[in-house]
């Protein structure tokens, strides 16, 4: 295989992204980093079939994969025990589906006598993900920790694992996640100190897995940290948590309000004398105590420092409109700020914040007037009345001091936004036979004139069957209708893949011979990428995917999702980013921005249910918030409508959520398509024409069309 510059570049991006996303959950007794001693590589023992059968991708046919053992073998800081490695390789050769080797067959005390540290790899693939430790894995961990005093537990899993029982046994824990094709190399970089841990958990890890049942028992505002912290539940690791080799500390902070914009500023210093560090500054807010049920605090924004050398510091400033603190009032169909104090919290995870300032609202303020988009169901948001939220020593004093110095906000400082909804589309007029898309591109006619000439059969093929045609790119999800001969409208190619492009790697002819290759890169899965909390990192991954799209003739990447995690048992867990809609929305937006430097991206919903029933408040404040952020900030060229019903109504193009919220409230100017039915009722010609206009604008921007007309 000849490496191209693009392959090398993408591999470097994948490796850097994986290293910037993995999370150090525990590190005591100077277990990590694993460093050479007196110029000699540190002898280590690597246990677990996951060292060879490392789960790295969500189905991408990558051109190479680096497992954990191969990554460690290529390091000059450590040297895995050869005899132990041979036993694992031999077991895998004899039985590729073999379970863990029994501890008695490994002679662990003898291995411990000739090594100075141990690494245990627990692996789960994205399909059939089970977060319980198996009996043989428990036995292995118990046996290894009895003989090795320096033990690293590596969790090569899509997300949460039930490790509360084994956490005290090991001296270090690393959440590796599904780290992409370079995962083994990236993990080695971190374990040996070549790179610095800077990932933070994008999901809360409860003490017991049955806590997920309670948290997800109702589809409301309370999920993840919004549930665990609001109701004071014990957690193993809180949202936003992650350790570092360095020692980043918050040295100063302030909150200001000017012209309706809140500014939170903080300085972070690396107090370590030895290791560099990066930190994620997280800004939360607490709403006033009213009769309306609210989470104890909600993440509003975050930013990551650069790499701080020992003694270095960095000041981060985060600004956002004060209207982002508003809640939705279903009865009035408005966004409003309640009367009372809004406390602004600054910290490094959900349970490590300080109240840095307060904003006082003397009277309720309406910030936005909209229309309701769903029928109100009987379910309501869970009440926090009587519940004891998470707190910390000194919080009451912080709150009292902050509120004495609160910044006053009056209605005169804000302007009410009244959404104007579109009138019924009148249809297209003025076309004549023979107009082509090239004529539109070159300015001789406009799109409306072209659409007016199209018959209903071709309109439906273009709009309703988008993506259902066969693509010339092997393995691609599909293509749009080929209407080139009649209208000059070419087919464009769509590819799926949450961690890269899902294309066929080895292309065969009719005789089964491999005649060509499509060497795509497998990047870290979204459930790991979100742990980076890093705009530049996600942007670089999106850009790398976009470059590969150009190379292989893919126009539209059907991948970024703003769906929130409610339960890790979902089949689509690895394909979504986080339990928090702000993190999910920003990650999707940054990925889209990077991709669309070179090609086009379609925002999608990772489906885990066929129907959901929620209040409009939950829908707008939680379920849709990530999508709103991704649409308004990322500006994707397209959106795939999910095949689900909301409160009994299908999410189709003639649904109020798409027509009113997506297009009129969020000002989305891209196209919408569906894997199933795009309309819930037989569409009128004007409705088809309106959708066709959006589709043709997409095709005009497609790399394949631009290449065609050059």
């Amino acid at each position: 295989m000849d490496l191209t510059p693009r392959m090398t570049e993408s591999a470097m991006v994948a490796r850097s992204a994986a290293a910037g996303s993995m999370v150090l959950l525990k590190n005591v007794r100077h277990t990590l980093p694993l460093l050479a001693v007196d110029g000699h590589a540190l002898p280590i023992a690597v246990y677990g079939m996951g060292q060879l059968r490392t789960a790295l991708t969500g189905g991408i046919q990558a051109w190479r994969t680096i497992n954990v053992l191969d990554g460690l073998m290529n390091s000059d800081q450590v040297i895995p025990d050869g005899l132990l490695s041979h036993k694992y390789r031999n077991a895998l050769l004899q039985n590729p589906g073999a379970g863990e080797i029994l501890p008695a067959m490994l002679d662990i005390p003898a291995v411990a006598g000739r090594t100075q540290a141990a690494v245990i790899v627990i692996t789960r693939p994205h399909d059939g993900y089970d977060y319980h430790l198996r009996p043989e894995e428990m036995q292995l961990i118990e046996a290894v920790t009895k003989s090795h005093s320096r033990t690293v537990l590596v969790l090569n899993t899509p997300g949460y694992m039930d490790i509360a029982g084994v956490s005290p046994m090991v001296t270090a824990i690393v959440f590796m996640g599904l780290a992409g094709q370079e995962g083994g190399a990236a993990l080695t970089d971190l374990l040996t100190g070549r790179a610095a841990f800077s990932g933070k958990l994008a999901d809360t890890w409860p003490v017991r897995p049955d806590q997920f049942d309670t948290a997800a028992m109702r589809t409301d505002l309370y999920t993840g940290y919004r549930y665990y912290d609001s109701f004071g539940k014990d957690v193993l690791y809180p949202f936003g948590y992650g350790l570092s080799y360095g020692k980043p500390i918050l040295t100063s902070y302030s909150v200001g309000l000017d012209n309706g914009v809140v500014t939170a500023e903080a300085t972070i210093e690396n107090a370590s004398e030895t290791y560099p560090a990066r930190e994620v500054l997280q800004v939360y807010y607490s709403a006033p105590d009213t009769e309306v049920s609210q989470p104890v605090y909600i993440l509003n924004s975050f930013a990551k420092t650069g790499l701080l050398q020992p003694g270095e510091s960095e000041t981060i400033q985060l600004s956002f409109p004060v209207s982002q603190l508003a809640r939705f009032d279903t009865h009035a169909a408005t966004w409003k700020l309640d009367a009372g104090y809004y406390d602004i919290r600054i910290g490094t995870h959900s349970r490590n914040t300080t109240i840095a300032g307060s904003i006082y609202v003397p009277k309720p303020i309406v910030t936005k007037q909209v229309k309701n988009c769903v029928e109100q169901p009987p379910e309501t948001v869970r009440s926090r009345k009587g519940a004891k939220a998470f707190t910390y020593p000194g919080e009451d004093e912080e709150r009292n001091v902050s509120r004495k110095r609160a910044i006053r906000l009056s209605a005169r400082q804000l302007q009410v936004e009244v959404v104007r909804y579109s009138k019924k589309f009148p249809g297209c007029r003025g076309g004549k036979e023979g107009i082509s898309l090239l004529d539109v591109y070159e300015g001789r006619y406009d799109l409306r004139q072209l659409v007016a000439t199209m018959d209903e059969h071709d309109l439906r093929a273009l709009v309703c069957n988008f993506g259902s045609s066969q693509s010339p790119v092997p393995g691609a999800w599909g293509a749009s209708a080929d209407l080139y001969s009649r209208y000059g409208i070419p087919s464009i190619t769509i590819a799926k893949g949450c961690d890269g492009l899902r294309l066929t790697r080895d292309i065969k002819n009719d005789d089964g011979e491999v005649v060509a290759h499509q060497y795509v890169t497998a990047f870290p899965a979204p459930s790991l990428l979100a742990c980076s909390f890093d705009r530049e990192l996600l942007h670089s991954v999106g850009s790398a995917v976009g470059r590969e799209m150009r190379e292989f003739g893919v126009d539209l990447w059907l991948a970024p999702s703003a769906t929130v995690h409610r339960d890790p048992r979902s089949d689509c867990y690895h394909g979504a980013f986080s339990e928090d809609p702000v993190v999910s929305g920003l990650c999707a937006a940054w990925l889209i921005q990077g991709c669309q430097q070179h090609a086009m991206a379609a925002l999608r919903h990772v489906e885990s249910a066929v129907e959901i029933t929620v209040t409009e408040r939950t829908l707008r404040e939680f379920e849709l918030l990530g999508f709103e952020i991704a649409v308004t900030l990322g500006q994707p060229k397209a959106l795939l409508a999910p095949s689900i019903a909301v409160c009994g109504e299908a999410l189709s193009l003639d649904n109020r959520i798409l027509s009113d919220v997506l297009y009129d409230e969020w000002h989305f100017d891209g196209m919408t398509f569906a894997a199933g039915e795009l309309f819930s009722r037989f569409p009128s010609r004007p409705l088809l024409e309106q959708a066709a206009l959006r589709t043709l604008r997409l095709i005009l921007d497609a790399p394949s069309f631009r290449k065609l007309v050059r």
Side-chain angles (χ1 to χ4, degrees):
M1 179 194 303
D2 294 326
L3 291 181
T4 66
R6 190 274 304 162
M7 292 167 67
T8 303
E9 206 173 301
S10 291
M12 291 174 62
V13 171
R15 183 168 178 168
S16 177
S21 303
M22 295 182 196
V23 186
L24 180 61
L25 298 174
K26 180 179 180 179
N27 189 27
V28 298
R29 286 188 264 167
H30 305 289
T31 297
L32 293 175
L34 303 173
L35 301 175
V37 179
D38 297 328
H40 297 287
L42 187 75
I44 64 170
V46 187
Y47 296 94
M49 293 300 289
Q51 64 181 289
L52 296 171
R53 214 159 47 207
T54 311
L56 296 172
T57 79
I60 302 296
Q61 296 181 29
W63 58 273
R64 79 172 179 195
T65 55
I66 300 175
N67 61 37
V68 172
L69 181 60
D70 288 344
L72 292 168
M73 292 288 288
N74 289 328
S75 172
D76 59 0
Q77 295 293 316
V78 296
I79 179 167
D81 186 76
L83 183 58
L84 181 62
S85 300
H86 176 74
K87 287 183 179 180
Y88 276 101
R89 290 189 190 277
N90 191 48
L92 194 63
L93 283 172
Q94 291 182 2
N95 183 5
E100 290 296 345
I101 302 175
L102 295 176
M105 300 175 63
L106 296 174
D107 196 6
I108 293 174
V111 176
R114 58 180 185 261
T115 57
Q116 295 185 34
V119 176
I120 307 171
V121 184
I122 301 296
T123 294
R124 294 289 186 275
H126 72 283
D127 51 345
Y129 159 44
D130 176 14
Y131 47 59
H132 296 285
L133 288 174
R134 299 171 185 136
E136 61 270 25
E137 292 169 335
M138 290 288 293
Q139 292 173 21
L140 178 65
I141 294 170
E142 289 171 358
V144 170
T145 52
K146 282 180 181 177
S147 296
H148 292 270
S149 60
R150 189 179 181 187
T151 308
V152 183
L153 178 63
V154 174
L155 302 174
N156 169 222
T157 64
Y160 168 84
M161 288 296 293
D162 179 15
I163 58 168
V166 300
S167 176
M169 301 180 192
V170 297
T171 53
I173 302 174
V174 174
F175 172 56
M176 177 184 180
L178 302 185
Q181 67 175 52
E182 307 295 310
L187 177 69
T188 300
D189 290 342
L190 292 166
L191 295 182
T192 60
R194 181 178 175 181
F197 276 103
S198 64
K200 308 288 180 179
L201 288 179
D203 295 287
T204 306
W205 284 31
V207 176
R208 303 181 315 278
D210 61 5
Q211 291 175 277
F212 286 117
D213 296 326
T214 310
M217 67 184 293
R218 189 179 294 174
T219 308
D220 62 7
L221 296 173
Y222 295 103
T223 192
Y225 73 89
R226 297 183 183 211
Y227 168 76
Y228 298 112
D229 295 2
S230 295
F231 291 90
K233 304 299 181 182
D234 291 336
V235 300
L236 190 61
Y237 302 113
F239 171 83
Y241 173 86
L243 301 175
S244 165
Y245 291 149
K247 191 179 179 182
I249 58 172
L250 208 64
T251 59
S252 64
Y253 49 82
S254 64
V255 171
L257 177 66
D258 182 38
N259 200 26
V261 176
V262 181
T263 299
E265 184 175 286
T267 298
I268 295 173
E269 179 185 337
N270 180 11
S272 170
E273 297 180 356
T274 309
Y275 298 109
R278 296 186 72 187
E279 185 58 274
V280 177
L281 181 70
Q282 302 166 35
V283 177
Y284 299 78
Y285 70 90
S286 297
D289 290 327
T290 66
E291 292 183 359
V292 177
S293 183
Q294 291 265 53
V296 64
Y297 39 71
I298 295 171
L299 180 73
N300 174 273
S301 52
F302 58 86
K304 198 169 190 175
T305 68
L307 187 65
L308 303 177
Q309 297 301 324
E312 283 189 342
S313 63
E314 181 179 337
T315 299
I316 290 178
Q317 189 177 87
L318 289 165
S319 298
F320 54 90
V322 71
S323 58
Q324 288 186 2
L325 308 182
R327 67 169 179 86
F328 188 72
D329 183 340
T330 304
H331 299 293
T334 59
W335 290 89
K336 64 184 289 188
L337 292 165
D338 290 314
Y341 291 95
Y342 286 84
D343 298 324
I344 309 300
R345 300 169 178 265
I346 294 177
T348 55
H349 62 71
S350 72
R351 296 196 172 189
N352 182 35
T353 65
T354 186
I355 299 175
S358 298
I359 297 168
Y360 177 63
V361 180
K363 294 180 180 179
I365 301 173
V366 172
T367 63
K368 189 173 183 177
Q369 179 72 59
V370 298
K371 293 194 304 187
N372 286 331
C373 64
V374 294
E375 299 301 323
Q376 186 69 6
E379 287 86 353
T380 57
V381 176
R382 276 174 281 191
S383 172
R384 280 181 50 217
K385 194 169 291 185
K388 292 184 178 180
F390 168 79
T391 187
Y392 54 89
E395 182 181 18
D396 289 340
E397 184 180 351
E398 284 180 2
R399 184 181 294 108
N400 292 335
V401 171
S402 179
R403 290 183 177 182
K404 286 179 181 178
R405 302 169 181 171
I407 305 168
R408 187 183 179 93
L409 176 70
S410 69
R412 288 182 304 225
Q413 296 172 264
L414 297 178
Q415 187 172 358
V416 181
E417 178 187 353
V418 179
V419 175
R420 298 189 180 279
Y421 294 91
S422 301
K423 296 179 180 179
K424 190 175 181 180
F425 184 69
C428 298
R429 302 286 185 273
K432 69 176 185 177
E433 289 296 326
I435 298 176
S436 71
L437 194 60
L438 180 61
D439 292 325
V440 174
Y441 177 75
E442 294 180 343
R444 289 185 289 272
Y445 296 94
D446 64 32
L447 273 179
R448 292 189 179 221
Q449 290 172 300
L450 171 59
V451 170
T453 68
M454 298 177 68
D455 63 36
E456 193 157 317
H457 176 271
D458 291 334
L459 282 174
R460 293 186 68 85
L462 179 67
V463 172
C464 301
N465 298 332
F466 188 89
S468 60
S469 297
Q470 187 171 354
S471 167
V473 179
W477 182 69
S480 62
D482 186 351
L483 302 173
Y484 191 76
S485 61
R486 188 166 181 184
Y487 308 104
I489 302 172
S491 173
I492 66 169
T493 292
I494 307 117
K496 292 175 69 174
C498 65
D499 48 357
L501 299 178
R502 190 169 295 178
L503 302 178
T504 302
R505 182 180 59 195
D506 302 319
I507 303 170
K508 300 178 181 179
N509 61 17
D510 294 338
D511 297 325
E513 300 170 329
V514 176
V515 295
H517 303 281
Q518 297 179 125
Y519 289 135
V520 300
T521 307
F523 298 93
S527 61
L528 178 63
L529 275 181
C531 297
S532 72
F533 284 76
D534 190 333
R535 182 177 66 86
E536 287 77 15
L537 184 149
L538 280 136
H539 197 276
S540 70
V541 171
S543 182
V545 172
R547 286 193 294 270
E548 295 191 4
M549 292 170 69
R550 286 268 186 168
E551 180 176 331
F552 299 115
V554 175
D555 296 288
L556 187 64
W557 183 32
L558 178 56
S561 170
T563 309
V564 289
H565 291 155
R566 283 193 179 271
D567 192 324
R569 289 167 289 196
S570 164
D571 293 337
C572 307
Y573 181 86
H574 73 288
F577 289 105
S578 171
E579 70 185 23
D580 182 78
V582 173
V583 174
S584 298
L586 288 174
C587 287
W590 296 333
L591 209 57
I592 289 166
Q593 288 174 343
C595 173
Q596 291 191 162
Q597 287 183 315
H598 308 281
M600 304 186 298
L603 182 66
R604 65 171 301 187
H605 183 279
V606 179
E607 297 168 33
S608 57
V610 294
E611 181 172 357
I612 60 170
T613 301
V614 292
T615 64
E616 178 132 2
R617 183 178 169 220
T618 297
L619 184 69
R620 287 180 176 271
E621 291 186 27
F622 192 83
E623 298 290 339
L624 292 181
L625 178 57
F627 288 90
E628 180 180 6
I629 293 169
V631 165
T632 55
L633 181 64
Q635 298 184 345
K637 295 291 184 179
L639 181 139
L640 176 67
S643 302
I644 62 174
V646 178
C647 297
E649 189 174 348
L651 263 185
S652 51
L653 201 53
D654 44 6
N655 172 277
R656 288 173 291 176
I657 295 176
L658 295 186
S659 62
D660 292 351
V661 178
L662 177 65
Y663 283 101
D664 292 333
E665 294 180 25
W666 300 350
H667 309 295
F668 178 57
D669 63 356
M671 69 156 289
T672 302
F673 64 106
E677 292 295 329
L678 185 58
F679 300 96
S680 61
R681 297 171 291 277
F682 192 83
S684 64
R685 181 174 175 93
L687 202 55
L688 280 174
E689 289 179 340
Q690 186 180 42
L693 288 172
R694 293 166 178 158
T695 304
L696 290 175
R697 291 191 193 103
L698 176 91
I699 294 174
L700 281 169
D701 286 336
S704 61
F705 177 77
R706 296 301 177 95
K707 185 178 180 181
L708 189 67
V709 298
R710 277 204 298 266

